[in-house]
Amino acid sequence: MRVTVERAALLKALGHVHRVVERRNTIPILSNVLLRADASGLGLKATDLDMEVTETVAADVPQPGATTVPAHVIYDIVRKLADGSQISLETSADGAQMQIRAGRSRFMLQALPETDFPDLAAGEMPHAFTLPAGDLKRLIDKTQFAISTEETRYYLNGIFLHAVDGGGSGGLLRAVATDGHRLARVELPAPQGALGMPGVIVPRKAVAEIQKLVDDGAEEVRVELSSAKVRLTFAGVVLTSKLIDGTFPDYQRVIPTGNDKRLVVDRDVFAKAVDRVSTISSERGRAVKLAVTEGRMTLSVNNPDSGSATEELEVDYEASGLDIGFNARYLLDITNQLDGDTATFMLADPGSPTLIQDREGAPALYVLMPMRV
Amino acid sequence: MTGGAAPLCRDCLRFAAAAARRCAACGSPRLLAHPERDRLAIAHVDCDAFYAAVEKRDDPSLRDRPVIVGGGRRGVAATCCYVARTYGVRSAMPMFKALEACPDAVVIRPDMEKYKQVGREIRTRMLDLTPLVEPLSIDQAFLDLNGTDRLHGASPALTLARFARAVEHEVGVTVSVGLAPNKFLAKIASDFDKPRGFSIIGQQEAAAFLGDKPVGILPGIGAAAGARLAQAGITLVRHLLGRPLADLYRVAGSDAPRLARLARGEDDRPVRPERETKSVSAETTFDEDLRSLEDLEPILWRLAEKVSARLKRSGLAGGSVTLKLKDTGFRLRTRQTSGLPPTQLATRLYEPARALLRAECDGTAFRLIGIGASDLTDGAEADRGDLADLEVGRAARREAAIDRLRERFGDGAVLRGLSLRDRRR
């Protein structure tokens, strides 16, 4: 294989694919990135066996071929080479090494044969749709924080993506994540082709990668699905991931519909007050108590070890008085995701889940379990 | 108050002349003398061959016969009396081996309720001596008698001698007492002169006494740690004393300072009246080896119910579930799932244990299965469910209803179909 490629293009592509590669691997070839040069340019591919990312960059290919080299090493080399340089990659005659040249720099990397490189074998993807990158970003950004890290309930370790009827004629595309303490649900009008899709759980590592790729300026994202895998195509970059093989809980049953105590707060003022009073609480189990009466809320934190804090807020509330406790971190996570100037809480009693939105009927809704205070 | 040098007769509780070999009043040779005798206050009291002793008490015809208390043909000897021990029978020996050593032994099925009752009776008597009683099991406990001299008008040694005599005469079983400056030495002392023993290890002699004992005498040194120490040339306790602490760290890791202190006979662990329960478990040995998941499941389920009942009774919930298996070669396998939402429900303990069991059913024949719950937390906070677990609340109510039925109509009133599959019934 012999190929010449522009540094900036190679660096960008390596930046995308190398993140998939685990720092420690028991299988040596999983540390490597696959490089394949042919008429279409230089293709790169990296995998951790659960997910793979591929990208093709324009290149001058005097001699087609393929090899694999350590991903983090080649990324670091290319990163340190001079801006604007042309990089030439050339495998040795026996294929055991690859030379990298740019300007006066030369590197020899140990290579492993590309035939040993694993393939995720995506198979047929019967469902496909395209949506604006911004929409995908919203679905992820607003739910990602609620993904569970608890291994015993592995089916919560991702975002549940599915389509439902409703929201006018076209149906809705929904993303849901929960760790049992809080739940986030975001929906948008279903893109064409999404309606028949199976409900899938996209694992958290893939979610994090998708989030970075979305931020990298693609306009549209094509999503292809089977019941076992998902493939997302961002301009030039393709991410394929296995899905979590499990059943997401019937989350609709925990979204309260009968909560009748409506509390509206100024989102920013409320978040800052929660943050201030929670300073006093210890790291674990940071409970903040909300004592709500007509037109007024008193936030308080009591920490037997260090002291106490209270703060009063003016709020929009007309129902009967209520004392309820929440984990301060969880409250802040949710208020950070709300878009509007206000946050609307629908409360029932101190022991029941509370519904939080920026306004009633907003496309993003959050459910939070109270804490005993 | 008599000095420590005047021997105390453990039979008539009188003091004898300084160098006497026998009690002048009753002629007993069981005299207790030690320079530190009246200054020591930490005791370990251990009943002698407890289950067997209770059985012998209740059936005097057994008095001179070898008695083994244990379960079934395949179980282990829970306790063997001192007669049986002369044949080479030991506690925890598999029953078939015990019977090989002593074919004439009288084997008695354990009657735990009876032993618990006798154990409680002895415990109550201990609590009459001091509130600081730390039970280690049904038949042994640590006692801290510091500051009780004026209450009982006697030194701790005399108080304990009275206690041992009273238990023997009034309860009908014998105990061995170890008296020492700390728990570690007291435990060793009680074992030193069994049965009907009373020995004292003083601070002065501790290091010398321990020096030529194998390191296995130290708590926490079992087969694995013992082998590691032996590799470094440490087989006797005194070998620990010669080593610089830095050396010991290389062999024993963070346990090094503790081992060094114990080797010098030092131990500052207080006697704690309430021992925190660390785990709740149940296990059973089969009459025939079992290998299939189908055969093991119903047994596991009944053990899960047992553990669940005990957790519910003590208001605890477990966040980890451990499966224990022993194969026919007596090799132990323990497998654990941790980080579970704390539970006290039988179904919630059973499910992870069953998943672990499924992975172990590879054709191996097993003789024992057990299930345990650990990482214990307050049971009141458990099984409340959350946004991703709506089932647990229903499961909790279902089990509570079953528990109420069983309370009224007996344990057999409601059974899960699974437990009927147990072929051993």
Side-chain angles (χ1 to χ4, degrees):
Chain A
M1 179 188 88
R2 210 165 80 230
V3 53
T4 308
V5 58
E6 206 174 306
R7 178 206 175 245
L10 182 57
L11 180 62
K12 190 171 176 211
L14 281 170
H16 292 149
V17 302
H18 94 282
R19 283 195 304 252
V20 178
V21 177
E22 296 283 352
R23 286 279 166 185
R24 287 173 206 283
N25 270 306
T26 46
I27 308 170
I29 202 155
L30 292 183
S31 299
N32 283 11
V33 55
L34 171 68
L35 304 172
R36 176 177 279 123
D38 56 27
S40 60
L42 177 66
L44 298 90
K45 176 155 117 178
T47 182
D48 66 357
L49 295 181
D50 287 323
M51 169 172 49
E52 70 178 29
V53 174
T54 65
E55 183 160 0
T56 303
V57 294
D60 182 21
V61 184
Q63 189 191 338
T67 189
T68 80
V69 290
H72 295 299
V73 179
I74 187 174
Y75 173 68
D76 284 342
I77 289 171
V78 172
R79 188 168 53 82
K80 291 173 185 179
L81 289 173
D83 195 13
S85 53
Q86 292 288 314
I87 299 174
S88 101
L89 308 173
E90 186 174 353
T91 49
S92 60
D94 61 358
Q97 290 178 311
M98 188 186 82
Q99 187 182 60
I100 305 174
R101 273 189 308 158
R104 296 186 180 181
S105 311
R106 294 171 78 156
F107 300 84
M108 289 296 277
L109 292 183
Q110 303 291 337
L112 290 170
E114 63 104 12
T115 45
D116 293 350
F117 200 82
D119 186 25
L120 212 52
E124 203 176 323
M125 299 276 195
H127 303 274
F129 56 90
T130 301
L131 77 170
D135 283 359
L136 181 61
K137 184 175 161 55
R138 274 179 56 79
L139 289 176
I140 289 177
D141 283 353
K142 300 206 168 294
T143 50
Q144 190 196 27
F145 72 94
I147 298 176
S148 168
T149 53
E150 189 190 319
E151 279 173 29
T152 46
R153 293 195 282 182
Y154 60 91
Y155 47 84
L156 301 181
N157 299 159
I159 291 179
F160 180 49
L161 197 65
H162 63 305
V164 292
D165 291 334
S169 55
L172 296 164
L173 180 63
R174 263 188 195 161
V176 185
T178 181
D179 63 1
H181 306 291
R182 57 251 174 93
L183 179 143
R185 190 193 83 182
V186 180
E187 59 194 16
L188 47 84
Q192 198 165 14
L195 222 46
M197 70 178 269
V200 297
I201 308 171
V202 184
R204 85 181 284 126
K205 186 174 171 185
V207 166
E209 282 311 314
I210 294 168
Q211 195 173 32
K212 288 181 191 131
L213 292 171
V214 167
D215 284 340
D216 225 11
E219 301 239 314
E220 280 201 323
V221 182
R222 179 165 176 78
V223 181
E224 291 163 280
L225 284 170
S226 68
S227 58
K229 294 199 176 76
V230 60
R231 180 160 61 216
L232 293 99
T233 309
F234 309 75
V237 190
V238 181
L239 178 145
T240 309
S241 173
K242 290 184 185 166
L243 296 165
I244 293 177
D245 184 11
T247 308
F248 201 79
D250 181 8
Y251 66 89
Q252 280 300 114
R253 285 171 53 198
V254 297
I255 296 176
T257 49
N259 289 8
D260 55 355
K261 298 182 158 126
R262 187 166 168 279
L263 163 73
V264 182
V265 300
D266 181 308
R267 184 175 71 93
D268 194 44
V269 170
F270 174 73
K272 284 191 169 135
V274 168
D275 192 28
R276 263 193 298 273
V277 293
S278 67
T279 315
I280 202 89
S281 65
S282 55
E283 209 44 55
R284 277 169 60 83
R286 312 200 299 174
V288 53
K289 186 168 100 175
L290 280 54
V292 204
T293 54
E294 203 177 313
R296 184 173 297 276
M297 175 192 322
T298 308
L299 293 167
S300 63
V301 171
N302 214 332
N303 180 357
D305 295 330
S306 62
S308 62
T310 59
E311 182 155 342
E312 270 189 20
L313 297 179
E314 277 175 27
V315 296
D316 182 356
Y317 185 75
E318 285 165 6
S320 56
L322 180 72
D323 287 3
I324 188 167
F326 293 106
N327 179 310
R329 177 79 257 142
Y330 295 169
L331 270 180
L332 291 174
D333 280 345
I334 291 174
T335 47
N336 281 343
Q337 293 309 328
L338 296 177
D339 288 321
D341 296 334
T342 58
T344 304
F345 291 69
M346 297 304 291
L347 305 156
D349 59 69
S352 300
T354 293
L355 185 71
I356 308 173
Q357 292 180 277
D358 29 273
R359 57 189 158 72
E360 281 155 275
L365 72 77
Y366 302 93
V367 183
L368 185 56
M369 286 289 276
M371 286 174 87
R372 293 214 282 194
V373 283
Chain B
M1 190 119 309
T2 323
L8 167 66
C9 172
R10 284 158 53 203
D11 285 315
C12 67
L13 303 176
R14 290 195 186 90
F15 288 96
R21 308 286 295 268
R22 283 181 177 272
C23 172
C26 71
S28 163
R30 300 172 70 221
L31 298 183
L32 186 66
H34 189 280
E36 293 182 43
R37 185 188 70 200
D38 293 342
R39 293 201 297 275
L40 301 173
I42 307 291
H44 179 248
V45 176
D46 192 3
C47 298
D48 304 319
F50 183 57
Y51 302 169
V54 173
E55 295 299 342
K56 289 193 179 204
R57 175 193 76 169
D58 294 347
D59 181 358
S61 75
L62 297 173
R63 205 188 69 183
D64 299 321
R65 303 189 56 193
V67 170
I68 300 174
V69 179
R73 197 158 53 81
R74 293 289 303 271
V76 295
T79 309
C80 50
C81 75
Y82 284 85
V83 182
R85 287 183 202 196
T86 61
Y87 291 85
V89 181
R90 294 286 173 267
S91 291
M93 192 181 251
M95 207 47 126
F96 74 92
K97 275 194 184 166
L99 288 174
E100 241 166 56
C102 182
D104 298 332
V106 181
V107 177
I108 297 173
R109 280 261 179 187
D111 179 354
M112 289 314 295
E113 276 314 307
K114 184 160 77 177
Y115 310 147
K116 269 186 203 158
Q117 200 190 323
V118 180
R120 268 198 297 274
E121 199 180 334
I122 297 171
R123 178 95 28 94
T124 310
R125 286 167 182 271
M126 290 176 176
L127 288 165
D128 288 344
L129 310 184
T130 169
L132 296 180
V133 176
E134 176 180 328
L136 292 179
S137 67
I138 179 172
D139 62 346
Q140 52 171 324
F142 286 116
L143 282 73
D144 182 346
L145 292 158
N146 273 301
T148 62
D149 295 52
R150 294 195 36 193
L151 176 66
H152 301 302
S155 68
L158 178 53
T159 302
L160 287 163
R162 276 181 193 156
F163 164 81
R165 202 176 83 134
V167 169
E168 188 171 334
H169 289 279
E170 291 159 31
V171 181
V173 301
T174 63
V175 299
S176 291
V177 179
L179 182 62
N182 57 49
K183 291 189 348 183
F184 164 54
L185 292 173
K187 180 110 184 0
I188 292 175
S190 72
D191 215 29
F192 200 58
D193 181 27
K194 263 180 164 301
R196 280 185 93 210
F198 196 134
S199 28
I200 294 175
I201 301 178
Q203 191 67 68
Q204 295 299 323
E205 65 197 322
F209 173 87
L210 292 168
D212 57 355
K213 302 280 182 295
V215 283
I217 199 172
L218 305 178
I221 303 298
R228 215 165 48 241
L229 290 173
Q231 232 167 32
I234 300 171
T235 51
L236 301 180
V237 174
R238 85 176 116 83
H239 297 155
L240 287 165
L241 292 174
R243 299 290 182 107
L245 199 55
D247 272 12
L248 272 187
Y249 265 108
R250 269 192 288 282
V251 187
S254 58
D255 203 22
R258 188 185 71 97
L259 292 181
R261 276 199 305 276
L262 288 175
R264 291 194 298 270
E266 294 166 15
D267 174 18
D268 53 10
R269 292 173 299 159
V271 173
R272 289 182 203 278
E274 276 304 315
R275 250 174 92 85
E276 208 181 321
T277 312
K278 292 219 172 91
S279 69
V280 174
S281 59
E283 62 181 51
T284 184
T285 304
F286 322 133
D287 286 337
E288 303 166 27
D289 300 327
L290 299 176
R291 48 184 96 221
S292 74
L293 184 64
E294 290 68 41
D295 286 343
L296 292 164
E297 271 178 339
I299 303 169
L300 183 67
W301 166 251
R302 285 195 296 110
L303 293 172
E305 283 198 306
K306 218 170 179 176
V307 170
S308 159
R310 286 176 55 195
L311 287 171
K312 287 169 187 162
R313 255 201 316 274
S314 29
L316 294 169
S320 293
V321 172
T322 306
L323 173 76
K324 179 176 169 185
L325 291 163
K326 203 181 269 178
D327 68 17
T328 46
F330 289 88
R331 280 177 296 266
L332 193 65
R333 298 186 191 185
T334 56
R335 302 287 181 265
Q336 191 178 54
T337 301
S338 39
L340 301 166
T343 187
Q344 49 180 213
L345 301 181
T347 45
R348 294 268 159 158
L349 296 167
Y350 174 72
E351 287 308 330
R354 196 188 82 102
L356 293 170
L357 175 62
R358 199 209 318 248
E360 297 305 316
C361 283
D362 49 9
T364 311
F366 296 107
R367 66 189 327 272
L368 171 148
I369 191 169
I371 177 174
S374 50
D375 289 340
L376 300 180
T377 53
D378 184 0
E381 296 291 318
D383 301 316
R384 296 153 67 90
D386 61 26
L387 295 173
D389 190 353
L390 302 161
E391 267 309 297
V392 70
R394 284 179 51 198
R397 285 194 296 278
R398 192 165 54 226
E399 280 196 23
I402 292 173
D403 292 342
R404 279 195 299 277
L405 286 172
R406 286 181 175 168
E407 222 166 84
R408 284 180 62 186
F409 303 113
D411 280 354
V414 189
L415 289 177
R416 195 169 167 193
L418 175 58
S419 56
L420 298 175
R421 231 171 58 203
D422 186 352
R423 292 197 319 211
R424 304 180 313 157
R425 273 166 180 269

